[in-house]
Amino acid sequence: MSSITSEVSLREKVAYGCGDLSSNLMWGMTSSYLMFYYTDIYGLSVVAVGWILLVARVFDAFCDPAIGYVIDRQGGQIVPRLIRSLALPFGVAGCVCFVSLPLSPNGKILWALLTYIALGAIYSCINTPYGALGTMITRQAHDRVGLNAFRMMGCQGGQFIVSLFTIPAITWLGGGSSMVQRQHGMALYALCLATAATILWRYVGRVCITRYPPPPARHSPVVLLRTLAQNRCWWLCNGLVFLQFAGLAALYGFALYYARIILGGTDEMGGVLLTTATIMGFAGAIICPHIVHRLGVIGSAAVCGGVQVMAYLLLVLAGGCVPFSFAAFAILTLAQGITSPLYYVLLAHGIDVGRMASPVNTAGMAYSINTLVTKLSMGVTGFVLATFLAHGHYAGDVHTFSPALKHWIMAGFVWLPLGAAALQLVLLAMWPRGVASPVTELNP
C-alpha cells in the first residue's frame, strides 16, 4: 500500500468505465435487441420469449448471492482476479446467445433459454465484483461520483455502439435482409462485440486498484443477510434500482416496436431512437458531477425524476408526431443519464453506513443482491412487455397493426416506466434524513 497513491487517476477512472462499456456491448444487446432478435429474427413466439426472460431471472436468484458470498468470504483482493478470469467466458456466453441453431420450435426455445441463462450467470459473476470494486478503489465521495460518472459514460458508450450499428451491421454482415441472412449477420456481429468486451474486461482487472479491500469475512450467509436486512438505506437503493431498470428495460426493449408501430417508421428509425437515447444518456453522465455539485445527490435524483415524469407525459401528448416524440425522448434520456450514476453513489454510501453500524462485512452480498435486483427488474419487465405484445396479437411478419396493439405498445413504452419514475420520487423522499448524507461530502 505504501507504493500506491491514494489519488484516483484519470486513467483508472477511464478503466473503471470500461467495465460498463464491456457489459453493455453484450448485456446492452440483450436489453435493446434480444426481444426483437427472438421474435423477428429467430422466429420465437412472444409468449415463449416472455417465459424465457422470466425463467432466466429466477435462475439468477441463486447465482448473484452465491458470488457475493464468495467475495465476502475471500476478501476484496479476489475482485480483480475474478474480473480478469471471467472476461473470456463472458464474451463467449454473449456471442452464443445470438447464434441461431437450426432446431425444432421446442429446441429453439430450449437453446435460447440455456444460452440466456449462461450469459446471466456469468454476468452475475463478473458484474458483482465490478460493482463492489468501486467502494474498494476510493472512499472519497467526490471520487465515487467521478468513478460512477465514467461508469455511466461507459454504459452509454456501449449502448451507443449497439444502437447505432446493430441494424445496419446485421444486414451488411449477413449479406441481405432475409431471416437466414439476418441470423448469420447477427452471429457475426455478436462475435465482434464479444471480442471487444473480453479485451475491455481484462483492462479493468489490470488497471483498477483495490486500495481498501475488505478483509475476508467468516460469517454465515444468514448473518450477512440479517445484517443487510437492518440497513434501511440499502433497501431503499434496491427499490430505486429496481424501478430505474424497469424504466430502462421498457425504453430499450420497446423502442423498436414504438418506432415502427406508433411512429410508423422502420427498424432503422428504432435504431436512431436508441442512438438518441445513448447520446443524451452519455451527455447526462458527463454533466452529472456538475449537477450534483449544485443540488447534491438526493436533490439531483429528485429533480431528474420529476423531469422524467414530465417527459413521459409529453410522449403521450406527442402521439405519432415524430419531431415532438424525439424531442420528448431526448429530454427523458438526458434526465435518465444524469440519474443513473447517482443510485450507485447512494448504494456505496448505504454500504458504508452499514459498515459503521456493524463489523460484519457485507459489501459482496450487498452488491450481488443489487445486481440480482437489476436483472430481476429487467426480467419481470421483459415478461410484462412480451405479455403486452401477446395481448396485442403482435407477429413479426405482419406489417399492418391494430389499434389494440398500439395501445399495448404505449402501455409498455410510456405508462409502465412513467409509474416507475413516479415511485422513485416516493422512495427518494423516504431517504433517512438523520443518516450522514453523501450530499455533504461531494465538494473536492
Side-chain angles (χ1 to χ4, degrees):
M1 287 294 296
S2 60
S3 62
I4 298 176
T5 176
S6 61
E7 184 74 20
V8 181
S9 66
L10 177 61
R11 177 172 179 259
E12 195 172 356
K13 292 178 181 178
V14 171
Y16 188 71
C18 286
D20 242 301
L21 172 58
S22 176
S23 283
N24 280 275
L25 288 178
M26 295 312 307
W27 195 254
M29 275 286 289
T30 66
S31 63
S32 299
Y33 289 99
L34 188 66
M35 185 181 294
F36 170 76
Y37 164 73
Y38 282 158
T39 58
D40 288 44
I41 295 180
Y42 203 28
L44 302 181
S45 70
V46 290
V47 175
V49 172
W51 282 107
I52 288 170
L53 298 177
L54 187 61
V55 171
R57 298 292 73 82
V58 172
F59 182 85
D60 286 340
F62 300 96
C63 294
D64 289 281
I67 188 63
Y69 182 62
V70 169
I71 293 171
D72 287 333
R73 291 284 292 182
Q74 297 296 320
Q77 294 292 2
I78 196 178
V79 166
R81 295 200 302 272
L82 273 175
I83 292 174
R84 291 194 299 268
S85 62
L86 290 171
L88 180 59
F90 177 80
V92 172
C95 181
V96 299
C97 196
F98 291 94
V99 172
S100 306
L101 295 185
L103 304 172
S104 66
N106 288 336
K108 286 184 176 181
I109 293 172
L110 182 60
W111 170 252
L113 176 63
L114 292 178
T115 54
Y116 190 41
I117 285 175
L119 176 60
I122 297 174
Y123 176 82
S124 298
C125 294
I126 198 169
N127 204 64
T128 294
Y130 171 66
L133 180 62
T135 63
M136 302 176 193
I137 292 175
T138 179
R139 290 180 178 170
Q140 298 297 319
H142 66 274
D143 278 335
R144 285 180 175 174
V145 172
L147 281 172
N148 284 289
F150 272 91
R151 178 179 182 176
M152 289 303 105
M153 289 181 212
C155 170
Q156 298 299 338
Q159 286 285 3
F160 176 79
I161 293 170
V162 168
S163 302
L164 182 64
F165 295 111
T166 298
I167 296 297
I170 61 177
T171 303
W172 180 69
L173 291 171
S177 57
S178 70
M179 180 173 286
V180 174
Q181 289 172 321
R182 294 175 94 181
Q183 289 176 356
H184 181 64
M186 179 64 86
L188 291 177
Y189 181 60
L191 176 61
C192 296
L193 295 182
T195 302
T198 299
I199 295 171
L200 289 168
W201 272 126
R202 295 282 297 180
Y203 183 64
V204 175
R206 291 190 178 279
V207 174
C208 292
I209 302 170
T210 52
R211 294 174 178 83
Y212 305 98
R218 301 305 178 193
H219 303 285
S220 69
V222 174
V223 173
L224 295 175
L225 291 173
R226 186 185 300 125
T227 303
L228 279 176
Q230 298 170 356
N231 189 334
R232 182 183 176 188
C233 294
W234 178 76
W235 278 106
L236 289 173
C237 286
N238 282 325
L240 289 167
V241 167
F242 182 92
L243 294 169
Q244 177 199 27
F245 275 84
L248 292 174
L251 185 150
Y252 286 99
F254 253 27
L256 293 176
Y257 303 102
Y258 176 79
R260 290 166 53 198
I261 297 169
I262 302 299
L263 301 183
T266 61
D267 292 340
E268 286 72 18
M269 177 184 282
V272 173
L273 199 66
L274 289 171
T275 303
T276 301
T278 55
I279 291 173
M280 299 308 294
F282 188 85
I286 291 176
I287 65 176
C288 174
H290 304 286
I291 302 296
V292 170
H293 184 74
R294 292 182 176 275
L295 301 178
V297 175
I298 299 295
S300 299
V303 169
C304 291
V307 172
Q308 289 179 56
V309 170
M310 290 187 291
Y312 280 120
L313 294 176
L314 289 175
L315 283 174
V316 175
L317 296 175
C321 177
V322 175
F324 196 6
S325 296
F326 266 81
F329 190 71
I331 296 171
L332 168 67
T333 49
L334 177 65
Q336 288 178 334
I338 298 171
T339 305
S340 293
L342 303 180
Y343 292 158
Y344 292 103
V345 176
L346 290 176
L347 178 62
H349 180 70
I351 292 173
D352 287 343
V353 170
R355 185 184 297 118
M356 290 184 289
S358 170
V360 179
N361 172 36
T362 60
M365 187 67 75
Y367 270 100
S368 68
I369 295 178
N370 187 257
T371 302
L372 168 62
V373 167
T374 65
K375 292 191 294 182
L376 182 64
S377 174
M378 295 175 67
V380 171
T381 304
F383 179 79
V384 172
L385 295 179
T387 302
F388 286 175
L389 289 178
H391 281 301
H393 304 290
Y394 174 81
D397 55 350
V398 175
H399 302 287
T400 302
F401 308 112
S402 66
L405 178 59
K406 294 182 179 181
H407 289 312
W408 284 111
I409 296 298
M410 286 297 291
F413 191 76
V414 176
W415 293 111
L416 176 65
L418 171 60
L423 287 175
Q424 288 177 62
L425 293 175
V426 174
L427 293 184
L428 287 169
M430 296 171 61
W431 187 267
R433 301 305 180 191
V435 176
S437 172
V439 175
T440 61
E441 304 171 8
L442 289 175
N443 292 330

